[in-house]
PDB file of all heavy atoms in Angstrom:
ATOM      1  N   TYR A 206      80.309 117.799 102.656  1.00  0.00           N
ATOM      2  CA  TYR A 206      80.435 118.930 103.574  1.00  0.00           C
ATOM      3  C   TYR A 206      81.910 119.262 103.735  1.00  0.00           C
ATOM      4  O   TYR A 206      82.715 118.385 104.064  1.00  0.00           O
ATOM      5  CB  TYR A 206      79.843 118.583 104.941  1.00  0.00           C
ATOM      6  CG  TYR A 206      78.345 118.435 104.948  1.00  0.00           C
ATOM      7  CD1 TYR A 206      77.745 117.189 104.781  1.00  0.00           C
ATOM      8  CD2 TYR A 206      77.516 119.544 105.124  1.00  0.00           C
ATOM      9  CE1 TYR A 206      76.364 117.053 104.786  1.00  0.00           C
ATOM     10  CE2 TYR A 206      76.131 119.415 105.132  1.00  0.00           C
ATOM     11  CZ  TYR A 206      75.562 118.170 104.958  1.00  0.00           C
ATOM     12  OH  TYR A 206      74.192 118.041 104.961  1.00  0.00           O
ATOM     13  N   HIS A 261      86.284 122.614 112.951  1.00  0.00           N
ATOM     14  CA  HIS A 261      87.397 121.790 112.493  1.00  0.00           C
ATOM     15  C   HIS A 261      86.965 120.531 111.764  1.00  0.00           C
ATOM     16  O   HIS A 261      87.506 120.202 110.712  1.00  0.00           O
ATOM     17  CB  HIS A 261      88.313 121.402 113.661  1.00  0.00           C
ATOM     18  CG  HIS A 261      89.557 120.703 113.221  1.00  0.00           C
ATOM     19  ND1 HIS A 261      89.613 119.340 112.974  1.00  0.00           N
ATOM     20  CD2 HIS A 261      90.796 121.184 112.941  1.00  0.00           C
ATOM     21  CE1 HIS A 261      90.818 119.009 112.571  1.00  0.00           C
ATOM     22  NE2 HIS A 261      91.573 120.101 112.540  1.00  0.00           N
ATOM     23  N   ALA A 303      70.153 118.479 109.254  1.00  0.00           N
ATOM     24  CA  ALA A 303      70.468 118.621 107.834  1.00  0.00           C
ATOM     25  C   ALA A 303      69.416 117.962 106.957  1.00  0.00           C
ATOM     26  O   ALA A 303      69.684 117.637 105.800  1.00  0.00           O
ATOM     27  CB  ALA A 303      71.843 118.018 107.549  1.00  0.00           C
ATOM     28  N   PRO A 330      87.214 115.484 136.396  1.00  0.00           N
ATOM     29  CA  PRO A 330      87.790 116.751 136.873  1.00  0.00           C
ATOM     30  C   PRO A 330      89.110 117.111 136.217  1.00  0.00           C
ATOM     31  O   PRO A 330      89.513 118.276 136.241  1.00  0.00           O
ATOM     32  CB  PRO A 330      87.967 116.501 138.383  1.00  0.00           C
ATOM     33  CG  PRO A 330      87.991 115.011 138.534  1.00  0.00           C
ATOM     34  CD  PRO A 330      87.083 114.487 137.470  1.00  0.00           C
ATOM     35  N   GLY A 367     104.226 118.008 122.051  1.00  0.00           N
ATOM     36  CA  GLY A 367     104.498 116.794 122.794  1.00  0.00           C
ATOM     37  C   GLY A 367     105.704 116.836 123.712  1.00  0.00           C
ATOM     38  O   GLY A 367     105.999 115.856 124.381  1.00  0.00           O
ATOM     39  N   VAL A 409     106.271 113.679 134.804  1.00  0.00           N
ATOM     40  CA  VAL A 409     106.569 114.060 133.426  1.00  0.00           C
ATOM     41  C   VAL A 409     107.756 115.009 133.386  1.00  0.00           C
ATOM     42  O   VAL A 409     108.684 114.867 132.573  1.00  0.00           O
ATOM     43  CB  VAL A 409     105.325 114.708 132.771  1.00  0.00           C
ATOM     44  CG1 VAL A 409     105.705 115.437 131.488  1.00  0.00           C
ATOM     45  CG2 VAL A 409     104.263 113.659 132.477  1.00  0.00           C
ATOM     46  N   THR A 410     107.769 115.970 134.290  1.00  0.00           N
ATOM     47  CA  THR A 410     108.831 116.979 134.319  1.00  0.00           C
ATOM     48  C   THR A 410     110.142 116.382 134.818  1.00  0.00           C
ATOM     49  O   THR A 410     111.202 116.593 134.220  1.00  0.00           O
ATOM     50  CB  THR A 410     108.407 118.152 135.211  1.00  0.00           C
ATOM     51  OG1 THR A 410     107.170 118.691 134.731  1.00  0.00           O
ATOM     52  CG2 THR A 410     109.464 119.236 135.215  1.00  0.00           C
ATOM     53  N   ARG A 480      92.126 103.422 109.402  1.00  0.00           N
ATOM     54  CA  ARG A 480      91.021 102.741 108.709  1.00  0.00           C
ATOM     55  C   ARG A 480      91.121 101.243 108.968  1.00  0.00           C
ATOM     56  O   ARG A 480      92.197 100.652 108.860  1.00  0.00           O
ATOM     57  CB  ARG A 480      91.083 103.002 107.201  1.00  0.00           C
ATOM     58  CG  ARG A 480      91.167 104.468 106.820  1.00  0.00           C
ATOM     59  CD  ARG A 480      89.933 105.248 107.193  1.00  0.00           C
ATOM     60  NE  ARG A 480      90.092 106.659 106.867  1.00  0.00           N
ATOM     61  CZ  ARG A 480      89.225 107.615 107.175  1.00  0.00           C
ATOM     62  NH1 ARG A 480      88.111 107.293 107.826  1.00  0.00           N
ATOM     63  NH2 ARG A 480      89.448 108.865 106.846  1.00  0.00           N
ATOM     64  N   TRP A 492     102.325 107.345 109.101  1.00  0.00           N
ATOM     65  CA  TRP A 492     103.204 108.127 109.971  1.00  0.00           C
ATOM     66  C   TRP A 492     103.656 109.359 109.193  1.00  0.00           C
ATOM     67  O   TRP A 492     103.850 109.302 107.972  1.00  0.00           O
ATOM     68  CB  TRP A 492     104.383 107.279 110.417  1.00  0.00           C
ATOM     69  CG  TRP A 492     104.234 106.808 111.831  1.00  0.00           C
ATOM     70  CD1 TRP A 492     104.956 107.237 112.904  1.00  0.00           C
ATOM     71  CD2 TRP A 492     103.318 105.837 112.345  1.00  0.00           C
ATOM     72  NE1 TRP A 492     104.546 106.590 114.038  1.00  0.00           N
ATOM     73  CE2 TRP A 492     103.546 105.734 113.736  1.00  0.00           C
ATOM     74  CE3 TRP A 492     102.309 105.052 111.778  1.00  0.00           C
ATOM     75  CZ2 TRP A 492     102.814 104.880 114.557  1.00  0.00           C
ATOM     76  CZ3 TRP A 492     101.586 104.199 112.591  1.00  0.00           C
ATOM     77  CH2 TRP A 492     101.833 104.114 113.961  1.00  0.00           C
ATOM     78  N   ARG A 648      85.201  86.003 124.640  1.00  0.00           N
ATOM     79  CA  ARG A 648      84.926  86.996 125.677  1.00  0.00           C
ATOM     80  C   ARG A 648      85.840  86.749 126.870  1.00  0.00           C
ATOM     81  O   ARG A 648      85.413  86.696 128.008  1.00  0.00           O
ATOM     82  CB  ARG A 648      83.458  86.907 126.108  1.00  0.00           C
ATOM     83  CG  ARG A 648      82.478  87.151 124.997  1.00  0.00           C
ATOM     84  CD  ARG A 648      82.500  88.606 124.548  1.00  0.00           C
ATOM     85  NE  ARG A 648      81.976  89.459 125.592  1.00  0.00           N
ATOM     86  CZ  ARG A 648      80.671  89.722 125.745  1.00  0.00           C
ATOM     87  NH1 ARG A 648      79.793  89.202 124.909  1.00  0.00           N
ATOM     88  NH2 ARG A 648      80.259  90.507 126.711  1.00  0.00           N
TER      89      ARG A 648
END
Side-chain angles (χ1 to χ4, degrees):
Y206 291 94
H261 187 276
V409 165
T410 303
R480 307 295 177 186
W492 256 251
R648 300 291 292 274

